Amino acid sequence: MGAIHLKLNETELSKLRLFADRCVDCGLCLKGCTMSDELRDGPKNVISRFLTEGTIDDDWAFRCSLCGYCSTVCPTGADLRSVMIALREASCKKPPLRMKKIFAGVLLFQFMATWRYMGTPPVFPKKRGKRLFFPGCAMASSDPELALKTWRALISMDPDMGIMVDCCGTPASSLGRRDIFERIRGRLEKTLTVWGVEEIIVACPNCLKALSSLPVKVTPVWGYLENTISGLQALEGKEAMFHAPCPLRDENRELAEVERLARTLFPSIRTKPYGANGGMCCGAGGMVPIVHPKTFSDWSRRISDYRKDGEIVLCCCQSCVDAMGGRDADVIHLLRAMLGGEAPPPPTSLGRWINRRKLRRAILGKQNWRGSL
Ligand code: SF4
Ligand code: SF4
């Protein structure tokens, strides 16, 4: 880590100036911030110093999980999250060597995660339909059987429901590579147009956000499945806490829908146990686990302190489930709770790629993999 000189364009600079004007250094945002434990200085000081001296620690903005907690709770409307994004985008123009290596790794992942290699193109059960299920990278890598199970449940509603396993581009945009994100978005748009797809059903809150600008309808899967699941029964007697994923922080309708489903399963679930608007970040956003594994593991410990003993954590985001320990820590994906079956143990890095490969083979071969198709 070291101080670097960053050159920002006028739009990026105006975001920083606005922030420095608005921030009154109250510290409220830092109470729920993943990077707060490692900050020597409040954000106002860091940004004001940067505006006068032009230098900043090279990885300061990369400790941020882009959760948006700060911008949600700030009493003066200072938007620290957009400052972090502006700094990341500027850092990408001339990154230091360490960051260059990290960027290369993430970009390789983006490349390999596409449908040509570890994903799938649109695949339909019998004839080509207008709707596609898009499980997202995290579910494909961690719980591919759940992706298949969800697809099968969707097919019971629409026999022509297809599936496509691909990456929505969030890793690239999180690192500040807007250009690569736009390329991925353009490629997805072209694929969906060629296949005549009109609606994609997403299982990941990050995909929901990232794909919302596509010229097709983008629908979250949660409410979609509610009426088709006969086995949806209240799990009386179990204590549970609902963890709201950050991308849903300002999506009131979707958040309310997921919370309602969670309450159907666990009538006494705690839905807003901490923080503003539904809780804190799991720490996995913004590529923090890759850029700053220590920040991530310190934060994970802090998050687990919020749980009551023996309480189940229910969440609708596979990345959050993975970040908080998955099956080993009694953290359950909402779809898993709805559809039944047991989640696999958290996979290793290699295991994640193997899972993707298995899912690809199961879908392309339409095999009866683990009895789920
Ligand atoms: S909550 Fe807002 S005003 Fe307070 S320190 Fe954070 S950014 Fe500044
Ligand atoms: S977006 Fe989240 S991690 Fe980043 S500065 Fe704000 S509260 Fe901290």
Side-chain angles (χ1 to χ4, degrees), residues 28-39 60-70 80 84 88 243 246 249 279-289 292-303 306 323:
L28 200 60
C29 55
L30 298 180
K31 291 196 165 69
C33 169
T34 42
M35 60 192 273
S36 60
D37 287 352
E38 301 183 35
L39 295 181
W60 190 74
F62 291 94
R63 290 172 187 268
C64 162
S65 65
L66 301 179
C67 66
Y69 179 90
C70 47
L80 184 53
M84 294 300 185
R88 283 173 176 229
H243 177 84
C246 296
R249 204 178 283 278
M280 282 184 186
C281 176
C282 68
M287 307 306 289
V288 173
H292 279 291
K294 187 175 173 306
T295 305
F296 171 63
S297 65
D298 290 351
W299 183 253
S300 302
R301 268 195 293 280
R302 200 163 137 181
I303 276 278
Y306 288 98

